[in-house]
Amino acid sequence: MALHRKWPALEALAPDIAIVAECDTRARLRARGVAIQPSRMAWTSGRAFKGLAVIAFPPYRLRVHPLHDPALAHVLPVEVSGAGLRFNVVGVWAQNASAGLRTKAEPGPFNRALDRYGHWIRSRPTLVGGDFNNHHFWDRQGHAINFEENLARCRRLGLESAYHLARRERFGLETLPTHYWRDRRIDGPTYHIDYLFFSAGWRRRFRRFGVGDFDGFCGPGLSDHAPLVADFDAGRGARRNRKPFPEWLLPVRKRSAISAAPLNGARAP
């Protein structure tokens, strides 16, 4: 929420592409002093003050793909071009508990989106990222919305998790939280529910990765989520005049992908 007040903190990350949940429309941001060109912001939601945005910074531009299904209001497929590259981005703010799910056979919005956009995702290098509101901790026997179902679909589409590849940790055993729930306290309930997946063909481009720390983001009240940042080599000259990387964005050592068996745990509190 209130991205106009937090815009300097976003700019300090020097992103090329940002995926932002709980975001105002472009018109509302402009009225609050943040002007973004139409070709550099895609947005979707049912409420003008609280949607899902994908924002591109120069030299990149984007457009919503025609496949976008308004019924999947919080999963946004966009095409990005710039710096001699063309790639896809799927922004995610998975509305699971609030999506009216009533039976264990309902796959949830993210799984439905991957089923709908799967062919398009395979057609070009793709980044899939955002707030999934899901983790193995909440998986229940036979439920189609389980995080293991999210993960299985990503694997079938050739998508790898930046966090797990960079940190050599298994799904379900993450040591860094991305969400400081409810009280926004470092010693309160924490969860790992934000992810960034990318096409395996871009593994050789994967250079740096990091999760923002509590003191830099959640403690000052910017969000109850910490940002995930992945840096990919986009080619010579693509990052000219960029700001320095945050100190917590660390080089990725080359290694093979990490896989994991499902971990079933307790239900959500």
Side-chain angles (χ1 to χ4, degrees):
M1 300 289 285
L3 179 61
H4 60 284
R5 289 195 287 103
K6 304 166 186 180
W7 189 254
L10 177 60
E11 286 192 311
L13 296 175
D16 292 303
I17 303 295
I19 299 169
V20 183
E22 301 189 11
C23 181
D24 273 340
T25 62
R26 192 175 65 85
R28 288 173 61 90
L29 287 172
R30 184 176 64 248
R32 289 161 175 77
V34 178
I36 306 174
Q37 296 178 10
S39 62
R40 292 204 163 101
M41 180 171 174
W43 186 92
T44 181
S45 179
R47 292 183 286 176
F49 64 92
K50 196 174 183 180
L52 169 68
V54 179
I55 302 171
F57 294 78
Y60 297 96
R61 297 178 180 275
L62 53 78
R63 74 179 187 105
V64 177
H65 194 274
L67 273 177
H68 176 49
D69 182 355
L72 299 170
H74 293 89
V75 183
L76 183 60
V78 303
E79 294 179 321
V80 181
S81 60
L85 289 175
R86 292 180 65 85
F87 56 96
N88 300 329
V89 171
V90 180
V92 180
W93 178 25
Q95 301 290 294
N96 298 328
S98 60
L101 302 179
R102 294 180 176 84
T103 70
K104 68 179 186 179
E106 294 179 84
F110 180 65
N111 285 335
R112 289 170 54 208
L114 288 188
D115 291 343
R116 176 174 175 80
Y117 306 136
H119 177 75
W120 172 75
I121 289 171
R122 290 190 188 96
S123 71
R124 186 176 289 155
T126 300
L127 307 175
V128 179
D131 179 1
F132 286 47
N133 275 309
N134 213 350
H135 187 271
H136 280 306
F137 181 81
W138 296 303
D139 282 4
R140 292 178 288 176
Q141 185 80 25
H143 281 246
I145 199 173
N146 284 347
F147 182 72
E148 183 58 28
E149 292 295 328
N150 295 170
L151 188 54
R153 282 170 166 79
C154 286
R155 286 173 174 153
R156 287 197 293 269
L157 294 173
L159 300 171
E160 298 184 331
S161 167
Y163 177 97
H164 300 86
L165 188 64
R167 293 188 55 84
R168 306 171 88 176
E169 296 178 6
R170 293 184 178 274
F171 288 95
L173 298 176
E174 296 85 0
T175 58
L176 293 181
T178 67
H179 182 39
Y180 296 82
W181 184 58
R182 195 174 56 192
D183 300 325
R184 302 189 182 192
R185 293 168 52 94
I186 195 167
D187 58 350
T190 60
Y191 300 98
H192 190 105
I193 60 174
D194 303 89
Y195 304 89
L196 177 63
F197 289 84
F198 65 92
S199 295
W202 266 25
R203 191 190 298 180
R204 63 184 176 83
R205 295 181 180 268
F206 189 29
R207 293 291 184 262
R208 296 173 181 83
F209 178 80
V211 178
D213 60 5
F214 176 87
D215 291 338
F217 296 91
C218 301
L222 290 172
S223 177
D224 53 351
H225 292 254
L228 277 67
V229 178
D231 183 65
F232 297 88
D233 181 3
R236 185 171 56 190
R239 290 193 66 91
R240 338 185 254 273
N241 302 322
R242 305 299 283 173
K243 297 176 184 178
F245 293 111
E247 61 181 14
W248 44 266
L249 198 63
L250 301 176
V252 174
R253 289 176 292 163
K254 299 304 177 185
R255 58 179 69 92
S256 59
I258 300 296
S259 61
L263 296 172
N264 292 322
R267 294 182 61 179

